[in-house]
Amino acid sequence: MAGFNKTDELGLLKRLHSDGEQLTGSDRRGFLKNAMAMMGGAAGVALAPSVLASDNLPPNVPSWTRSLGTGVVTHPYGMPSKYEADVVRRTVPWLTADPISSISFSPIHKLKGIITPNGLVFERYHAGVPTINVEEHRLIIHGLVDRPLILTMDDLRRFPSVSEIKFLECPANGGMEWRGPQMEGLQFTHGMLSCCEWTGVRLSTLLAEVGVQSEGKWILAEGADGAAMSRSIPLEKAMDDTIIVYAQNGEPLRPEQGYPIRMLNPGWEGNTSIKWLRRLEIGDKPWYQREETSKYTDLMPDGRAREFTWVQECNSVITSPCPENPFKGKGWYEIEGLAWTGKGKVKAVDISFDGGVTWRPTQLKGLVLSKALTRFSIMHNWQGEPLLLQSRAIDETGYVQPTLSQLRQSRGVNSIYHKNSIHTWQVTESGSVFNVQLS
Amino acid sequence: MAGFNKTDELGLLKRLHSDGEQLTGSDRRGFLKNAMAMMGGAAGVALAPSVLASDNLPPNVPSWTRSLGTGVVTHPYGMPSKYEADVVRRTVPWLTADPISSISFSPIHKLKGIITPNGLVFERYHAGVPTINVEEHRLIIHGLVDRPLILTMDDLRRFPSVSEIKFLECPANGGMEWRGPQMEGLQFTHGMLSCCEWTGVRLSTLLAEVGVQSEGKWILAEGADGAAMSRSIPLEKAMDDTIIVYAQNGEPLRPEQGYPIRMLNPGWEGNTSIKWLRRLEIGDKPWYQREETSKYTDLMPDGRAREFTWVQECNSVITSPCPENPFKGKGWYEIEGLAWTGKGKVKAVDISFDGGVTWRPTQLKGLVLSKALTRFSIMHNWQGEPLLLQSRAIDETGYVQPTLSQLRQSRGVNSIYHKNSIHTWQVTESGSVFNVQLS
């Protein structure tokens, strides 16, 4: 078995000592000069002065290098490090009358890239997470069809499958902020948002199988949870890109996400993507179920309600800095965030350092996929100046993320849902970050 | 709070009863006719006869619909359903002398899409998984550089980051199969394979910061584990696409994968992607460390060893059916699998039903990314005939996955590593699937 290499240990310590002596004075200025020289372009290298702070003493060979760790048999299903115990979903106790019908928020301030790991995908349910026996669960497709069907989960897996990376967002995301800044951190202002690779069968494939009759225009999707959560889905969406999902980031769908199967309506408000899906009924008109009349409609200033407001329109937020990720000292930082739109791809994201007076383009990083989270980034050398940070996303249809006042002008302040306006973080001279709204 | 809707329950039961009566005789033939009619194209709808088996009786409203589930506060970090308890990493006890220096295999027979969820990424370590305190960990960059550096993990996060979906594979994947078919299932023949979205800082960014001297041509990467696992990496790779990774599928890197940081050399054998990375030393020649001399070299028939065989060449395997996923009765199935290459993108995957005598093209599904897992798929109406299933991948460089005899001719049978030859599954008349090798 591999043991510790004594010779190497001594060699390393010697080298560390030698290096440590060099990390002072002129060298420090050398680093900064180098960092600045490379910042000619927007994507240049950015080394913060703190990198050379005097508390960065060379470490000794640590205890974990002097000992054996844990073996492979100890974690058949892996978990995060105990040092990341704060990277968890969180709830807001007062948000709903009971935690059995509530929501948990993804820690998006701690996440990178565009994939949300399965353990941290936000949850919303109306009667708790049911524990469903996959062997007993069935999907029933009936109504205005030529050949009604009852499918086992094994049956479903025999159809051709698709895998797509799509965001999922509750339309109430940001809903507490209509009337003023209420939540302290990014996890709660924007954390009803996740993005996974979803695998399943296109609903259009199943509908071809049952044969939708000519008068069939709507589909009732019904969950097997205690709320029998249900929504009316127009046939056009079902034939476009709806997926009956059974896997999430590769593995079987998680219980909180609808195990064993859920609907996924890419780009649409999350509650239409019915979880624990048990029944699809094809009809000629919407059903006007409880969760699309008393809830998930938008109360306008004149007292009327907008209904069937399915699409999650273009939105964005800066994830670093944010209240949970303040600046720690002066120097270079990567300012980055997430943008998304239910209408296709994000085309561009601009950033403002002065509360929307002037704007600069950011770089879109990595994959830019339709109806998926998209990362944007810009380097910034922060020298202690106060900032009013904003991001403004534009999607491929030309839709521009509105300001809060624009959104209030058209929708008033009675709404809970679909608040996609430009968000503001105030950065103080100390580097602290606060959730504010500009008048 | 949302309760159960009594009216709906009665309505549902009535409808189910009505549907159930229709699921016999002529309708069953109708379904099949429909399914067959739609199979004109390779991507047509495929309904298996079993969908209408008589044991598919309409279920009653199940217990989980008649009760409340668990609330949001009960799972700050989510886990899979108890009904998927068999979707776990597994080990082969005899593979190494001790589980502290061993490997676990991803359950790739149960996974879909291209992302491997973090809890199921295969593991390989040489002295166990260390428990590293992120606050105390440092990355040291020194040697033939102008400005040596010691970075905290917070420092590292201030550099511009990249997020990329890349596969990771142990070069020993399939290594037990050089001399004959030894492992019974796909998890063990090909499970040293995973694919994640990795986030971190390009090594080239850090090297620009320290200033590599002109004689600097190689980099020693050293881990902080008890084995001080280390490999020599040529500067060309480091300047090309190597990433110093701190996040995996969005969240902080997992302990088994190198928490808090690891190297990632996309497309290269997994052990070069040093985990628990603590030190990068720039030198003028390779170090010839233990794990690149006595191990991770390929013993040729003439007794010489190939060294620095970094690239994982083009490979593929059918994931369904496989020994763990047999055919359950006649009818249509989606035959699918994974292909990958360390040289860029997969260009095409062919499939043979007759042990390589004839080949048919498959469809590449979803994202086709450089140095990432790629899904291929073809529909097949299995009528009980025995099959010898093979897949053969071709990458964008024109490299064609070799047959086993081609590989043996050039490499002999002494090797453990880099066995990327065409794999054969034998499907018997009962639908069972066996790992075989053709002479």
Side-chain angles (χ1 to χ4, degrees), chain A residues 12 31 45 48 56 65 69-70 75 84 100 125 129 142 147 158 161 209 224 254 259 278-279 365, chain B residues 12 19 31 45 48 65 69-70 75 84 100 123 125 129 147 152 158 161 209 224 259 278-279 334 365:
Chain A
L12 174 60
F31 288 17
V45 171
N56 273 293
T65 306
T70 56
H75 15 70
E84 302 294 341
I100 212 81
Y125 23 83
V129 178
H142 68 122
R147 299 167 296 273
R158 291 174 67 166
S161 62
E209 201 59 43
R254 289 292 182 89
Y259 181 82
R278 95 179 274 231
R279 188 164 73 90
K365 297 201 306 180
Chain B
L12 175 60
D19 294 350
F31 287 18
V45 172
T65 306
T70 56
H75 15 69
E84 302 294 341
I100 213 83
E123 315 152 86
Y125 22 83
V129 178
R147 299 167 295 271
T152 67
R158 291 174 68 165
S161 63
E209 202 57 43
Y259 180 84
R278 96 178 273 235
R279 188 165 73 93
E334 180 175 38
K365 296 202 306 180

Side-chain angles (χ1 to χ4, degrees), chain A residues 24-255:
Chain A
T24 51
S26 61
D27 268 358
R28 188 178 303 185
R29 285 186 291 277
F31 288 17
L32 287 174
K33 190 177 168 190
N34 182 48
M36 296 304 293
M38 302 195 66
M39 282 307 295
V45 171
L47 178 62
S50 76
V51 168
L52 298 173
S54 58
D55 61 350
N56 273 293
L57 297 174
N60 271 319
V61 176
S63 60
W64 46 80
T65 306
R66 296 175 182 274
S67 58
L68 294 174
T70 56
V72 287
V73 295
T74 53
H75 15 70
Y77 196 95
M79 288 294 285
S81 165
K82 68 178 182 182
Y83 292 102
E84 302 294 341
D86 63 332
V87 187
V88 290
R89 301 186 287 218
R90 288 192 167 83
T91 58
V92 176
W94 52 260
L95 200 59
T96 58
D98 195 301
I100 212 81
S101 171
S102 191
I103 197 154
S104 73
F105 298 73
S106 283
I108 59 172
H109 60 294
K110 288 284 192 179
L111 302 184
K112 304 291 279 189
I114 63 171
I115 295 289
T116 310
N118 289 341
L120 296 175
V121 175
F122 84 96
E123 316 152 84
R124 165 63 165 131
Y125 23 83
H126 299 75
V129 178
T131 302
I132 295 182
N133 184 329
V134 62
E135 296 294 330
E136 294 178 18
H137 190 70
R138 297 290 184 275
L139 175 62
I140 300 142
I141 312 176
H142 68 122
L144 297 174
V145 300
D146 294 333
R147 299 167 296 273
L149 257 186
I150 299 177
L151 295 166
T152 66
M153 299 305 97
D154 274 349
D155 293 336
L156 202 57
R157 284 176 174 263
R158 291 174 67 166
F159 285 88
S161 62
V162 296
S163 298
E164 297 183 349
I165 295 175
K166 301 291 182 190
F167 81 81
L168 193 65
E169 184 184 22
C170 179
N173 205 17
M176 293 90 90
E177 307 282 309
W178 273 102
R179 294 171 200 83
Q182 188 167 5
M183 309 310 291
E184 286 184 7
L186 172 62
Q187 184 164 12
F188 299 110
T189 61
H190 290 82
M192 303 183 191
L193 174 70
S194 297
C195 184
C196 297
E197 184 192 33
W198 308 96
T199 297
V201 180
R202 283 244 185 267
L203 181 50
S204 60
T205 301
L206 299 176
L207 292 180
E209 201 59 43
V210 296
V212 175
Q213 293 169 359
S214 59
E215 63 270 45
K217 300 297 179 197
W218 287 79
I219 299 177
L220 180 72
E222 182 186 78
D225 59 323
M229 173 71 191
S230 51
R231 288 292 309 253
S232 303
I233 310 295
L235 191 66
E236 289 76 7
K237 181 66 175 177
M239 295 303 290
D240 177 18
D241 61 357
T242 300
I243 307 173
I244 306 304
V245 163
Y246 53 75
Q248 168 185 8
N249 291 335
E251 69 185 349
L253 194 66
R254 289 292 182 89

Side-chain angles (χ1 to χ4, degrees), chain A residues 257-279:
Chain A
Q257 298 303 321
Y259 181 82
I261 56 169
R262 77 177 300 164
M263 178 176 269
L264 184 80
N265 293 308
W268 280 24
E269 52 183 26
N271 64 86
T272 67
S273 291
I274 296 293
K275 300 194 278 191
W276 314 290
L277 185 69
R278 95 179 274 231
R279 188 164 73 90

Side-chain angles (χ1 to χ4, degrees), chain A residues 306-319:
Chain A
R306 295 200 308 151
E307 66 176 6
F308 300 131
T309 50
W310 298 301
V311 175
Q312 296 294 104
E313 290 182 312
C314 194
N315 203 346
S316 70
V317 70
I318 292 167
T319 59

